[in-house]
Amino acid sequence: MAVPIALFSAQFSTPLLTNSLPSSPVLKRFSCSSSVPMEHYSDNRQLKFEEFPYVSVPHKELMVELVSTLENRLGTSLLPCTLPSDVQYFENQTGTAHGSLYVRSGNSASQVDFILGSWVHCNLPTGGALNITSLSAYLRPSTDAPNFLIEVICSSPTTLILILDLPPRKDLVQHPDYLKTFYEDTQLDKQRQLLGKLPEVKPYFSSSLYIRAVVSPSAILFSVETEPTQPIQIDELIRDHISPVAKVMLDTWLDLCACAERRLTDDESKTVAKRDRINRNKTIEIDLESSFPRLFGQEVANRVLGVLREIYNS
């Protein structure tokens, strides 16, 4: 829901949910069981975002720590979440798909526009279940610094897709100083290289050319597949490798982007604002409008997407 590239953000434009559920070859590839049985939560109809109820303990600990770090660092500059209860948690009529959305806007003095978190759990027609957790942070056009996003797609102890990035908000060819400030001087590509050296990790290529165009040169887009007999498992990889890298990326974003001032002219601010609007609306247009009704039904989709449109265009 995180840009994207997330469910409820641009990162959600992964092929896992952009195709119809019964026929998607990617979904068939990821036919595996949920970390926690659906029945465990069958009598709790109002699950909360911070519970991350269907993922493994290391996966949950990663997401909780990132959310806590964001909220603790930004402090009172973030307003409370005021989403309707039926948007903070929602499900389809058959109880086979569950989701949660969490949004906190920045106050009038903050450079942060809003932070957006989400999780989705859905049973797959082929058996097993798919779990997606995401967290994004968006800045206002008073600064042109990059946004932050992470999305973890995981459905068993042996499969995972990771999307982790500081997506740029300016053209890097036209603005080489921007590339140097946020990607070269910070040595963010070293974090990508650390994960890329692991034998279980392979590059992940989104089927969406749009997604490939909006991520940064140092974006971490990896798929992981392990076997039960292999010495390293997904939970161990999350705890020992992904978590440290994600924390470095988030700390970099907080220090250099969210909490550092960049003075823009009125024209520059207008250009950034226009780019932001295009990116945010593309999120809904190219993916969510088709995939969300398939997961949750048209009524729930209209309700949740309506709130997202208000957030993205406020």
Side-chain angles (χ1 to χ4, degrees):
M1 293 179 180
V3 191
I5 309 176
L7 179 70
F8 303 136
S9 62
Q11 74 260 32
F12 181 50
S13 299
T14 65
L16 290 171
L17 294 175
T18 52
N19 300 313
S20 63
L21 288 176
S23 61
S24 169
V26 182
L27 284 176
K28 291 179 180 179
R29 175 188 172 198
F30 286 92
S31 59
C32 41
S33 299
S34 167
S35 299
V36 181
M38 281 287 294
E39 293 76 13
H40 182 73
Y41 297 102
S42 60
D43 57 353
N44 183 353
R45 310 302 287 178
Q46 292 297 322
L47 298 174
K48 297 180 179 180
F49 166 71
E50 63 269 18
E51 294 178 19
F52 295 101
Y54 296 107
V55 298
S56 67
V57 172
H59 188 161
K60 175 179 178 177
E61 289 177 344
L62 165 63
M63 298 306 299
V64 168
E65 182 165 2
L66 293 178
V67 173
S68 298
T69 299
L70 260 181
E71 295 186 324
N72 290 337
R73 282 287 302 273
L74 299 177
T76 57
S77 67
L78 291 178
L79 302 175
C81 179
T82 58
L83 294 177
S85 60
D86 59 1
V87 173
Q88 292 190 45
Y89 171 76
F90 46 90
E91 60 183 40
N92 63 5
Q93 290 185 343
T94 59
T96 56
H98 301 245
S100 179
L101 185 64
Y102 180 75
V103 176
R104 292 187 65 182
S105 299
N107 64 27
S108 58
S110 175
Q111 290 192 127
V112 176
D113 195 356
F114 58 90
I115 65 172
L116 187 155
S118 65
W119 57 257
V120 162
H121 168 91
C122 62
N123 291 346
L124 300 179
T126 53
L130 180 68
N131 292 291
I132 303 175
T133 61
S134 64
L135 177 66
S136 303
Y138 295 83
L139 296 176
R140 290 196 169 108
S142 56
T143 176
D144 59 4
N147 294 322
F148 171 84
L149 75 87
I150 181 172
E151 181 167 271
V152 183
I153 304 168
C154 191
S155 56
S156 84
T158 61
T159 58
L160 176 147
I161 289 176
L162 172 67
I163 302 172
L164 177 60
D165 192 24
L166 273 59
R169 295 166 71 213
K170 294 184 74 171
D171 183 276
L172 301 183
V173 175
Q174 293 183 351
H175 303 279
D177 56 326
Y178 191 94
L179 176 67
K180 184 176 187 300
T181 298
F182 294 109
Y183 304 105
E184 293 179 355
D185 292 350
T186 56
Q187 299 184 336
L188 287 182
D189 201 52
K190 286 189 175 181
Q191 303 304 316
R192 182 190 61 80
Q193 293 172 17
L194 285 174
L195 292 179
K197 292 177 181 178
L198 299 173
E200 299 83 6
V201 172
K202 297 180 181 179
Y204 167 69
F205 299 100
S206 172
S207 62
S208 168
L209 296 181
Y210 175 78
I211 294 305
R212 299 187 204 178
V214 299
V215 296
S216 78
S218 58
I220 294 173
L221 293 92
F222 285 138
S223 65
V224 181
E225 292 191 45
T226 65
E227 298 295 335
T229 57
Q230 289 181 315
I232 187 170
Q233 298 300 308
I234 293 294
D235 284 350
E236 181 182 346
L237 188 144
I238 292 174
R239 183 184 64 245
D240 297 338
H241 300 281
I242 292 177
S243 288
V245 167
K247 293 170 190 175
V248 169
M249 298 276 282
L250 180 56
D251 285 341
T252 299
W253 181 81
L254 284 165
D255 292 339
L256 195 61
C257 303
C259 301
E261 185 177 356
R262 285 175 62 85
R263 297 184 181 276
L264 303 184
T265 66
D266 289 343
D267 287 343
E268 288 174 332
S269 183
K270 289 177 182 178
T271 299
V272 172
K274 180 179 179 180
R275 180 188 175 101
D276 287 347
R277 283 194 300 271
I278 292 172
N279 282 337
R280 295 176 188 184
N281 287 320
K282 274 288 185 181
T283 298
I284 296 177
E285 175 188 334
I286 68 175
D287 183 74
L288 296 182
E289 285 183 343
S290 60
S291 60
F292 230 61
R294 285 199 288 270
L295 282 174
F296 294 102
Q298 196 64 55
E299 181 180 352
V300 174
N302 288 344
R303 182 171 69 241
V304 176
L305 296 184
V307 171
L308 279 175
R309 288 188 183 95
E310 291 180 8
I311 294 168
Y312 282 164
N313 293 289
S314 62

